[in-house]
Amino acid sequence: MQELEPSVLNKINEWLQGSYDSETKQQIQTLLDEKSFTELTDSFYKDLEFGTGGLRGLMGPGSNRINKYTIGSATQGLANFLKKTYPEEQIKVAIAHDCRNNSALFAEITADVFAANGIYVYFFKELRPTPELSFAIRELGCKSGVMLTASHNPKEYNGYKAYGYDGGQFVSPADTDVMTEVSAIKSIDDVKFIPLPKHLELLGEEMDELYLSKIIKLSISPDAIAKQRDLKIVYSPIHGTGITLIPKALALFGFTNVHLVEKQVKPDGNFPTVIYPNPEEKEALTLALEKGAEVDADLIMATDPDADRIGIAIKNNDGEFILLNGNQTGSLLINYLLTAWAQKGLFTGKEYIVKTIVTSYLIDEIAKAKNVECYNTLTGFKYIGELITRFKDAKVFIGGGEESYGYLIGDLVRDKDAVVSAAFIAEMTAFYKNNGSSLYNALLDMYLQYGLYKEKLVSVTKKGKTGAEEIKAMMERFRNTPPTSLGGSNVITLKDYELSVQTDLITGIKTSIDLPTSDVLQFVTQDGSIISARPSGTEPKIKFYCSVKMPLQDKLAYEQKSKELDVKVDAIMSDLGV
């Protein structure tokens, strides 16, 4: 016992002597008997933090783990917030879960605690994608919702995503108010676990049909799909929730030649065929790429476990499959949407698109050329959702996204949506094929028109207390003495999102930045490179988002110019001392 800190030991004893179930107590006792002091310390040295998006962590017993008690406490805190915010109303919430181990159990516990607090619960009786939950919140007039998921984290993780009345994750000031209420739950005895009767309603296929019927109405190029309905598409849900809706969405759009990756179709929280169920990783698409080669696919798509992110692969002009990154797919989608809207004469002057400040500025250029407003938000899709809600009666949202493989077309939900994205990526592929092109050539044509943009994310890990101090010192150094030159080009603008100030480094003129404060710095160089430095809010990392560009006059020069931009990114990171 002497190897455990007194504070950790006290917390362990609270659990051993408190109102916790015997199985949980036995798991803790076994760790004590085995002298697993490192694991015990990590499990009990603090309370799992309820952040602006909710909870995420390793599953297991302990105050710093995802389990029925930390889930219950979070739900009680959220229930208290809702009751204070809507004191005279019958509050309604919606709850869904993904394929992860224990997600169904945690969803039931969440429902029980809400119901025990007199809150009416709409409960998806089977696993469903995160975006459908966002849709249901708005459709059913709920004040909140919870998705039990850890997105694309490894199988040992689970999480709890909390949503507000508009179907988006909470933003200021509600986010901090929710966190305050959750942190006020000091004892498991404060949590109401026994539900009141008649406070729960199951959701199923009827919500699927409503959601899909509204997605179909967003389609812009049904004529192209009709002519290219046999487009060869390979899709993998990577053992996740996408299987429930994406094949249906593709069929309803009119695609008749969709091939599923059989080994990854069955929902499974152990994700047996991949290391990480993350469509950003090439390894996660290995089986999809094999299937694509087998059927000579026009398009390969894969979604993460809760189906809010999507990764794609397309064939280059040598017939080889290449993976597109989130910036490339997002730029292609926006270019297609604005092109198709223009061709159909749909513009009224009220349309706009949204992206985050670390997402490709190629999108800004496309919007400018098409005379459509492009808004930039802080990192995190909740800020995109907030903007859509703010403009809902005054402007028309066409689409938007972020570099981390999350996109949204239309305003049916307030979160990234791989269901609608999959349908539109397939539609986009049909549109270009119908015009005698391909997604790869559409990518090159886009670069020829607007310039070759290349983005790279560089993450630097600094663990522990010392690492956190190093990251803080690094940001202070960049803030107080910004680099004068990066990649051979002078830095002309410094954007400090924490101080909400943009400084012209040539004239010294300062202007305000009209966004919520966030610890992000951006350096803009004379040749148009944009480098963003941002400490991670959930990991011991500082992230550098590099965006560089150059003209492209010839498709045949694409590979060579792309390599030159890689060299430029390396030079920029070297200049930053990273």
Side-chain angles (χ1 to χ4, degrees), residues 405-443:
Y405 293 64
Y407 321 102
L408 178 62
I409 297 96
D411 66 350
L412 299 177
V413 307
R414 296 290 186 271
D415 206 346
K416 46 191 176 286
D417 186 344
V419 181
V420 72
S421 297
F424 269 87
I425 290 167
E427 177 176 293
M428 171 173 67
T429 307
F431 174 85
Y432 287 116
K433 188 172 184 180
N434 199 49
N435 287 327
S437 185
S438 66
L439 269 192
Y440 183 74
N441 281 307
L443 181 75

Side-chain angles (χ1 to χ4, degrees), residues 25-38:
K25 291 180 179 180
Q26 185 55 57
Q27 289 174 324
I28 297 168
Q29 189 60 53
T30 298
L31 291 171
L32 284 168
D33 294 342
E34 294 173 350
K35 300 189 186 309
S36 300
F37 297 137
T38 300

Side-chain angles (χ1 to χ4, degrees), residues 115-302:
N117 281 275
I119 292 171
Y120 194 86
V121 177
Y122 291 102
F123 187 83
F124 279 94
K125 58 187 177 183
E126 295 168 322
L127 79 170
R128 286 296 187 271
T130 289
E132 187 176 5
L133 173 75
S134 176
F135 173 80
I137 290 169
R138 301 181 65 240
E139 196 66 34
L140 297 169
C142 295
K143 298 302 185 187
S144 182
V146 174
M147 180 73 190
L148 283 301
T149 178
S151 190
H152 54 281
N153 277 57
K155 64 182 180 181
E156 296 82 8
Y157 285 75
N158 214 318
Y160 180 107
K161 291 176 71 173
Y163 290 83
Y165 74 94
D166 67 342
Q169 289 190 269
F170 289 106
V171 294
S172 182
D175 54 357
T176 52
D177 292 341
V178 173
M179 288 188 282
T180 298
E181 291 294 341
V182 173
S183 63
I185 306 297
K186 300 299 184 186
S187 167
I188 198 65
D189 296 325
D190 295 335
V191 181
K192 299 176 183 178
F193 281 104
I194 301 174
L196 296 172
K198 297 181 181 178
H199 276 76
L200 188 142
E201 182 177 333
L202 294 178
L203 297 176
E205 292 76 16
E206 71 287 348
M207 187 56 67
D208 300 346
E209 290 170 8
L210 183 61
Y211 176 46
L212 290 170
S213 70
K214 293 197 174 187
I215 287 177
I216 298 164
K217 292 177 183 176
L218 298 173
S219 176
I220 316 167
S221 303
D223 46 344
I225 294 174
K227 294 173 184 175
Q228 303 295 333
R229 61 183 180 274
D230 61 346
L231 188 81
K232 285 177 278 190
I233 300 169
V234 167
Y235 169 65
S236 172
I238 318 182
H239 304 289
T241 62
I243 192 61
T244 63
L245 290 180
I246 289 176
K248 291 179 183 176
L250 292 170
L252 288 169
F253 260 59
F255 295 102
T256 60
N257 197 2
V258 178
H259 302 262
L260 302 179
V261 179
E262 292 88 353
K263 291 180 181 178
Q264 295 179 326
V265 162
K266 185 179 178 182
D268 190 336
N270 291 315
F271 309 113
T273 64
V274 296
I275 298 172
Y276 299 113
N278 185 354
E280 297 181 51
E281 303 288 339
K282 184 175 183 179
E283 180 272 332
L285 274 74
T286 300
L287 294 179
L289 288 164
E290 289 176 3
K291 187 75 173 180
E294 177 191 324
V295 303
D296 190 30
D298 295 288
L299 173 66
I300 296 172
M301 300 187 287

Side-chain angles (χ1 to χ4, degrees), residues 23-159:
E23 183 182 351
T24 295
K25 291 180 179 180
Q26 185 55 57
Q27 289 174 324
I28 297 168
Q29 189 60 53
T30 298
L31 291 171
L32 284 168
D33 294 342
E34 294 173 350
K35 300 189 186 309
S36 300
F37 297 137
T38 300
E39 185 172 348
L40 282 165
T41 296
D42 193 45
S43 299
F44 285 96
Y45 84 99
K46 66 173 184 176
D47 291 339
L48 187 64
E49 183 180 353
F50 191 98
T52 56
L55 299 170
R56 189 174 297 183
L58 290 164
M59 289 182 282
S63 60
N64 190 37
R65 291 286 186 263
I66 292 285
N67 51 62
K68 56 186 169 184
Y69 299 108
T70 52
I71 292 289
S73 295
T75 306
Q76 185 64 55
L78 179 52
N80 291 347
F81 162 81
L82 293 171
K83 288 160 77 175
K84 288 180 180 178
T85 306
Y86 308 103
E88 304 299 324
E89 299 184 44
Q90 168 62 68
I91 302 166
K92 299 183 290 184
V93 301
I95 299 170
H97 66 86
D98 71 359
C99 61
R100 286 181 178 272
N101 297 330
N102 297 314
S103 280
L105 170 65
F106 295 152
E108 289 175 10
I109 291 165
T110 303
D112 285 349
V113 175
F114 276 132
N117 281 275
I119 292 171
Y120 194 86
V121 177
Y122 291 102
F123 187 83
F124 279 94
K125 58 187 177 183
E126 295 168 322
L127 79 170
R128 286 296 187 271
T130 289
E132 187 176 5
L133 173 75
S134 176
F135 173 80
I137 290 169
R138 301 181 65 240
E139 196 66 34
L140 297 169
C142 295
K143 298 302 185 187
S144 182
V146 174
M147 180 73 190
L148 283 301
T149 178
S151 190
H152 54 281
N153 277 57
K155 64 182 180 181
E156 296 82 8
Y157 285 75
N158 214 318

Side-chain angles (χ1 to χ4, degrees), residues 494-506:
L494 170 64
K495 296 183 181 182
D496 190 329
Y497 290 88
E498 186 167 78
L499 301 179
S500 300
V501 173
Q502 175 176 313
T503 305
D504 184 320
L505 297 178
I506 297 173

Side-chain angles (χ1 to χ4, degrees), residues 458-462 471 474 540-544 573 578:
V458 179
S459 294
V460 179
T461 301
K462 302 276 188 181
I471 290 173
M474 200 180 296
K541 293 179 178 178
I542 181 169
K543 296 182 176 182
F544 295 91
M573 297 313 298
V578 176

Side-chain angles (χ1 to χ4, degrees), residues 436-457:
S437 185
S438 66
L439 269 192
Y440 183 74
N441 281 307
L443 181 75
L444 297 186
D445 288 336
M446 182 172 65
Y447 289 149
L448 285 172
Q449 185 173 357
Y450 300 107
L452 175 56
Y453 284 69
K454 190 157 194 180
E455 291 78 24
K456 186 175 181 181
L457 170 62

